[in-house]
Amino acid sequence: MRRATRVIRRGAWSPAEAVDSVLLDRDSRHRRRIAMTGLQGTDFLLDLPEATVLAEGDGLALSSGGVVLVRAAPEALADIRCADPLALMRVAWHLGNRHCPTQILPDRLYVRWDHVLVDMVAGLGAEVRRVDAPFDPEGGAYAEAAATGHGHAHDHGHGHDHGHDHGHDHAHDSGHDHAHDSGHGHVKPSARADGLG
C-alpha cells in the first residue's frame, strides 16, 4: 500500500497538481496514522511522525510520487454574529471560558451546532443561524507547543466545565502545584456545553 509520510502545507504547493483528494471533517483532520481512500479511489496509509492537524488545502505527499489534496468537509455549525465588535468579543470570551473549539472570522464566530451553546450565545444578544461549512477552529495558544512537546500546557486537570472567575495572572515560580483541588469558586453546571454530561 502507498504511504503518505509528509504534509505539504497549503500555499507551498499547487492543488491543481493533486492526484486525488480526501474529504475530512475537523476531527478526522487530526491524525497520525490511518488507512485512507481518496475520492477517486487512491488507497494509501497516512503515516506521519506525529499527530498533525491537517487544514483545507494541505497536501499529503505519497512516497510513490504524487500529492493528495486535503479538503475540509462541511459540518453543521452555528454562525454567530453580533451588533458590534465588543459584543462579539464578549461572546468569544464566554466560548473560550468553556474551552469550546471556535473558528474566528472577521465578523462572526463558528462553533459546532449545539443547542446549549446556541441558547447561551443568544442569551448574550448574538444572532445565531445554522450553516453547513468547513470547520477550522483556532488551535489555541499552546497547541503548537503541545505538539512539539515544549511549552506550558495550561491544563488544570478538572473533570468538569466551570466558570473561571479566578485570575490566571499568577507567576509560575510561586511553587504551588497548580492542581486546583481546593474547590475555590468553581461552579459545576448541570449540563456540559458539549452535550456529554
Side-chain angles (χ1 to χ4, degrees), residues 1 20-24 34-45 68:
M1 178 179 275
D20 206 338
S21 61
V22 288
L23 185 63
L24 306 170
I34 189 170
M36 294 185 164
T37 301
L39 296 176
Q40 297 175 9
T42 303
D43 291 320
F44 64 98
L45 176 67
V68 175

Side-chain angles (χ1 to χ4, degrees), residues 23-195:
L23 185 63
L24 306 170
D25 66 15
R26 174 61 176 83
D27 292 339
S28 298
R29 293 196 317 274
H30 188 191
R31 294 288 182 191
R32 187 191 80 75
R33 192 169 197 269
I34 189 170
M36 294 185 164
T37 301
L39 296 176
Q40 297 175 9
T42 303
D43 291 320
F44 64 98
L45 176 67
L46 180 68
D47 191 11
L48 301 174
E50 60 189 14
T52 302
V53 176
L54 304 170
E56 167 80 28
D58 284 351
L60 305 176
L62 299 173
S63 55
S64 59
V67 181
V68 175
L69 171 66
V70 175
R71 294 177 50 208
E75 301 183 48
L77 304 177
D79 178 320
I80 302 166
R81 301 181 194 220
C82 293
D84 59 72
L86 181 60
L88 192 62
M89 282 192 290
R90 184 174 291 114
V91 169
W93 183 90
H94 281 280
L95 292 170
N97 194 44
R98 284 156 183 79
H99 307 288
C100 178
T102 304
Q103 182 174 351
I104 301 171
L105 299 163
D107 61 345
R108 72 193 78 168
L109 304 169
Y110 281 166
V111 296
R112 284 196 168 121
W113 185 267
D114 177 282
H115 72 279
V116 173
L117 290 176
V118 167
D119 289 348
M120 179 194 75
V121 299
L124 293 168
E127 176 187 326
V128 186
R129 66 185 180 97
R130 186 171 178 149
V131 298
D132 289 320
F135 187 44
D136 191 18
E138 290 292 309
Y142 302 106
E144 185 176 337
T148 61
H150 300 98
H152 174 73
H154 203 83
D155 184 357
H156 294 186
H158 298 300
H160 59 272
D161 289 345
H162 57 276
H164 269 100
D165 292 333
H166 56 282
H168 278 83
D169 57 348
H170 50 275
H172 288 279
D173 59 353
S174 62
H176 78 281
D177 65 3
H178 218 77
H180 290 297
D181 57 356
S182 62
H184 64 294
H186 292 311
V187 178
K188 183 175 181 181
S190 59
R192 290 173 49 128
D194 59 9

